[in-house]
Amino acid sequence: MKISAIVLSSGESERFGENKMLYSLAGEPIILKTVKAFDLSPSIDEIVVCIPSGSEESYREILKSVKTPLTFTTGGKNRHLSTIEGLLKANGDMVLIHDGARCFVAVELIERIVSALSEDTGVIPVIASTDSLVSVGDNLKYLERKNIKCVQTPQAFDRVKLLEIYKDCIASGKDLSNLTDNGSVWQTRYPLIYVDGDINNKKITYKSDCLLYTFSKKEVCEDLNNQGNSDIYLNDKLSNSGIRNSLKNLNSISLTDISTEKKEGITLKIGNGYDMHELVENRKLILGGVTMPHNKGLLGVSDADVVLHALMDALLSSLSLPDIGHQFPPTDPQYQGADSTVLLKTVLELLAERNAKPQSVSITILAQKPKLFPYIPLIKDSISTLLGVSIDNVGISATTTEGLGLIGREEGIACYATCIVKI
Ligand code: MG
């Protein structure tokens, strides 16, 4: 028996605000998390991903690490049309149809559903509702919670039979546009059984659902730490607990990382800084530690690197420390002609003494000339090296002031800097 997984990921993500399948959660796109679970499931022979029109190249790149045979098909404008496209593309005798936005699906759940499969019976995973439930027709009525379950995916069916049901529905003009799962369609002709779902198998619908994920990660951390700090003990303890399932979804975080993070009690601080210097002839122009050719340079007691000055003030501000005017008084002769990269090292030492480290920075440079665009990669590289942070965590934009004001008249260059510092 050949089994195909069909992952529906062609929705418009209207409530999320952007294509949620490509949204990075803990450093990994949601669609990759989802597909990886099926890739790791020993029972799955192929994976069909229903994607938005014209997006195959980007999806193929994101999913390039997947080992299971993978095909793409363009989804329809609603769920049932996407399902039909997937059923037509799949080759399996049986199919597991899954919401791409349920990226926490565990291999154990997939295998539990597969083990319950039979030719005539569809399989759906369900979990108990944690809320009280009411029906709100003419008479509001509380429902018996023990008989009510919440339905999840993946749901498993005989591929050809499900396709026939859909074709018949369409031929008879049945409105399926509000369909939210396939079990309800299957049940019009064949029996359904349920297996236990997984409370972690949540669906990402809103951006705030991603925050819930972060919160649940924190809960796992607390649970782990309450049980002791030994990784060996944790591993042993985890083998018989639901926490192991939760951890499978934390792809970018190892057990050691989690316990370390909790022990250190990480705090994030934000800081802002601003600086401006006069542009004059016969001075070097140095921005972010990079010297660039220009007929003018910035005037100051030090090398007048306006970018590093704004950045230093942002770093100091994040820890409520006095600004660079206090740290390096311009009246002190030792700072005459000072190299700002050396001053920055002193600021980083002040942070290190307080166990603080820069995490990310965002910088805006205001200059009419020179055109800074070609130099931005060099400045990013310089600041990333100076701070010891990934280049992906250094954001730099440059703007003119459209000829307005003293910057527009090329009398000066200014800079804003914002940083996040981890303690
Ligand atoms: Mg300055």
Side-chain angles (χ1 to χ4, degrees), residues 15-138:
R15 288 170 289 182
F16 196 82
E18 61 184 282
N19 184 352
K20 63 186 172 189
M21 296 300 159
L22 308 183
Y23 188 80
S24 181
L25 194 54
E28 207 169 47
I30 284 174
I31 186 63
L32 177 57
K33 284 184 187 301
T34 305
V35 172
K36 269 169 89 174
F38 291 94
D39 190 29
L40 293 169
S41 294
S43 303
I44 301 299
D45 299 299
E46 72 163 353
I47 303 170
V48 177
V49 186
C50 299
I51 58 173
S53 174
S55 61
E56 180 167 342
E57 203 175 319
S58 53
Y59 274 73
R60 198 172 281 286
E61 175 64 22
I62 289 168
L63 299 175
K64 64 186 175 190
S65 62
V66 174
K67 304 280 191 303
T68 309
L70 185 65
T71 52
F72 297 92
T73 186
T74 302
K77 63 182 178 199
N78 52 38
R79 184 189 176 91
H80 76 277
L81 293 175
S82 295
T83 302
I84 292 169
E85 293 297 334
L87 290 168
L88 289 169
K89 195 81 174 182
N91 295 299
D93 306 299
M94 310 298 271
V95 288
L96 266 68
I97 304 175
H98 186 62
D99 299 326
R102 290 187 189 271
C103 59
F104 308 128
V105 61
V107 173
E108 284 85 348
L109 176 60
I110 295 169
E111 292 300 308
R112 190 152 66 236
I113 291 162
V114 168
S115 65
L117 265 174
S118 70
E119 204 174 301
D120 292 324
T121 309
V123 185
I124 58 170
V126 300
I127 57 169
S129 170
T130 51
D131 297 319
S132 295
L133 297 160
V134 293
S135 73
V136 289
D138 292 337

Side-chain angles (χ1 to χ4, degrees), residues 233-248:
Y233 175 71
L234 290 177
N235 273 317
D236 182 49
K237 194 82 180 170
L238 288 170
S239 62
N240 290 319
S241 79
I243 298 170
R244 176 168 287 282
N245 280 339
S246 304
L247 284 172
K248 280 185 178 158

Side-chain angles (χ1 to χ4, degrees), residues 230-304:
S230 158
D231 284 347
I232 295 168
Y233 175 71
L234 290 177
N235 273 317
D236 182 49
K237 194 82 180 170
L238 288 170
S239 62
N240 290 319
S241 79
I243 298 170
R244 176 168 287 282
N245 280 339
S246 304
L247 284 172
K248 280 185 178 158
N249 300 317
L250 308 180
N251 295 322
S252 66
I253 299 173
S254 71
L255 275 178
T256 310
D257 288 338
I258 288 170
S259 51
T260 305
E261 186 175 326
K262 178 64 185 175
K263 276 183 237 170
E264 287 177 351
I266 289 171
T267 301
L268 297 177
K269 297 271 196 178
I270 192 164
N272 289 309
Y274 170 78
D275 196 22
M276 176 187 272
H277 280 262
E278 186 184 359
L279 264 177
V280 295
E281 290 179 349
N282 301 316
R283 285 277 295 186
K284 279 185 183 172
L285 179 60
I286 305 172
L287 296 173
V290 176
T291 305
M292 53 194 69
H294 192 48
N295 60 345
K296 291 179 180 175
L298 292 173
L299 181 65
V301 172
S302 66
D303 60 7

Side-chain angles (χ1 to χ4, degrees), residues 195-214:
V195 297
D196 287 338
D198 180 351
I199 56 164
N200 295 311
N201 183 25
K202 291 182 168 59
K203 188 175 180 182
I204 302 282
T205 303
Y206 301 95
K207 283 256 168 70
S208 56
D209 294 332
C210 298
L211 292 174
L212 281 177
Y213 161 78
T214 308

Side-chain angles (χ1 to χ4, degrees), residues 401-419:
T401 57
E402 301 283 343
L404 296 170
L406 61 88
I407 288 170
R409 293 191 296 272
E410 299 171 47
E411 294 170 9
I413 290 178
C415 181
Y416 295 95
T418 303
C419 67

